[in-house]
Amino acid sequence: AWDPEWSQAVRAPLRTDRRRLHSRLAAAASTLMAEPRVDSRNLAAVGFCFGGMAALDCARAGVAAGSLKAIVSFHGILDDGPLADSVDLSIGPRIVMLHGDQDPFVSPEALTACLEQLREAGAPWELHCYGGGRHGF
């Protein structure tokens, strides 16, 4: 069964230290791209909740740059996490965010900050917002 206290404790260090999260994402992508059955030129990052935030951070950190073609965040923790200096989101992956407008884990301010960051960076993105939808829809 899911233990919210344990889950929060495990995620907290990666949520507060996004560079640490970025290095783990890069290591995971490198491992995946080394797999001979993987087309390392055409990758996608898909995540739910914390994983949705991590998928967005793949773009922000430049993980698998040039190979990462798409990002999908399902009820992800949307925010304006750190953007690596050398990352150009305007040529990065297409980003799709699926979000419930009543998600208690994403404040209206955090959503606005996320969208502003993507706009300013010139990222190709879409937001599908479900009226009345809570976290996990």
Side-chain angles (χ1 to χ4, degrees), residues 2-17 20 24 50:
W2 180 64
D3 180 348
E5 288 180 20
W6 175 86
S7 177
Q8 184 73 346
V10 169
R11 290 180 306 194
L14 297 174
R15 186 144 187 219
T16 57
D17 183 358
R20 182 175 177 191
R24 287 190 178 195
F50 180 83

Side-chain angles (χ1 to χ4, degrees), residues 45-49 51-57 59-60 70-81 89 93-101 103 106 110-119 123-130 137:
V46 178
F48 298 79
C49 187
M53 181 190 80
L56 288 169
D57 274 14
R60 291 177 176 131
I71 290 174
V72 182
S73 173
F74 290 92
H75 57 85
I77 306 302
L78 305 177
D79 64 8
D80 60 342
L89 288 181
R94 293 201 50 79
I95 298 169
V96 176
M97 297 163 286
L98 301 127
H99 174 67
D101 81 324
D103 189 333
V106 180
L111 176 60
T112 298
C114 177
L115 300 180
E116 283 299 315
Q117 180 188 56
L118 295 174
R119 273 189 208 103
W125 62 273
E126 296 176 28
L127 172 67
H128 298 268
C129 192
Y130 302 101
F137 313 126

Side-chain angles (χ1 to χ4, degrees), residues 34-58:
E35 173 60 43
R37 295 173 292 174
V38 170
D39 179 356
S40 62
R41 296 165 299 164
N42 293 297
L43 300 177
V46 178
F48 298 79
C49 187
F50 180 83
M53 181 190 80
L56 288 169
D57 274 14
C58 284

